[in-house]
Amino acid sequence: VSEAVFSDTQELININFNADLCEFLRKHGVSDHHLYAMGAFSVITFQKSSIGKELAATSSVGGVYERMFGDLINHHLEKNCRYRLASLTSRGCRIESREISGIAEELGVRHLGNASVCHTKVGVAASMPGYLSLPFSEVVETKCVHRGDPLCVFDVDFSRAQEFHRTSLRGLLNH
């Protein structure tokens, strides 16, 4: 793998590489927390990209999730799974991820990725408010294909970031 692959945010990386890397790290003592942090680092990686700029231009935390998981991730970042924003409220959202039919078979695996990759996806989902310079969300993966479920489901609580955003806006309007 060329180093250039890792510096180009538009470059696609095979899911098996990600799965193998996460398992290698896990076998060498990397914890779930560190895998989460790897995913959360995506906000820094994409901050200056066209996607990062588009997310930073949204007006609300919910808007960041709606834009990313309603459109951007499926068209620009992920070619193995389809993401869907199943619900969105003023305090959180639910993100569903389903494998694209036929890809796992083509790669010769039962399911794409592994549980360690899912920990990085939790970090990615948690980091979305970071595009607005807000605190990260709390994310729990409530269903996972690697635990026998038919899809992965991520429940996101962004109420802390939303409150911080409201408080900051009130402060700006009062001055």
Side-chain angles (χ1 to χ4, degrees), residues 18-121:
N18 289 340
D20 290 348
L21 175 62
C22 287
E23 280 309 301
F24 174 83
L25 293 171
R26 164 100 50 209
K27 286 178 186 172
H28 288 83
V30 171
S31 68
D32 290 347
H33 174 75
H34 288 103
L35 293 169
Y36 164 93
M38 284 173 49
F41 192 77
S42 66
V43 72
I44 295 168
T45 303
F46 285 99
Q47 208 166 33
K48 294 188 183 337
S49 72
S50 58
I51 291 170
K53 290 175 184 173
E54 190 167 335
L55 293 173
T58 60
S59 60
S60 69
V61 179
V64 171
Y65 282 96
E66 188 171 31
R67 189 72 182 111
M68 175 58 100
F69 294 100
D71 178 47
L72 292 175
I73 197 166
N74 293 322
H75 290 101
H76 302 288
L77 298 173
E78 175 70 69
K79 302 300 180 195
N80 300 299
C81 299
R82 284 289 165 242
Y83 290 81
R84 181 175 87 88
L85 196 61
S87 65
L88 176 65
T89 69
S90 62
R91 300 184 57 76
C93 64
R94 172 170 281 176
I95 302 163
E96 296 178 347
S97 173
R98 294 183 187 275
E99 296 177 352
I100 296 173
S101 180
I103 293 178
E105 295 84 18
E106 191 174 312
L107 293 172
V109 295
R110 184 169 178 222
H111 290 290
L112 300 172
N114 54 38
S116 297
V117 171
C118 288
H119 286 297
T120 65
K121 290 181 179 186

Side-chain angles (χ1 to χ4, degrees), residues 116-155:
S116 297
V117 171
C118 288
H119 286 297
T120 65
K121 290 181 179 186
V122 168
V124 170
S127 73
M128 291 294 109
Y131 289 102
L132 300 176
S133 300
L134 295 171
F136 287 5
S137 298
E138 297 294 324
V139 179
V140 176
E141 185 180 24
T142 57
K143 292 184 180 181
C144 181
V145 296
H146 304 290
R147 294 189 309 249
D149 296 307
L151 74 161
C152 292
V153 176
F154 303 91
D155 286 335

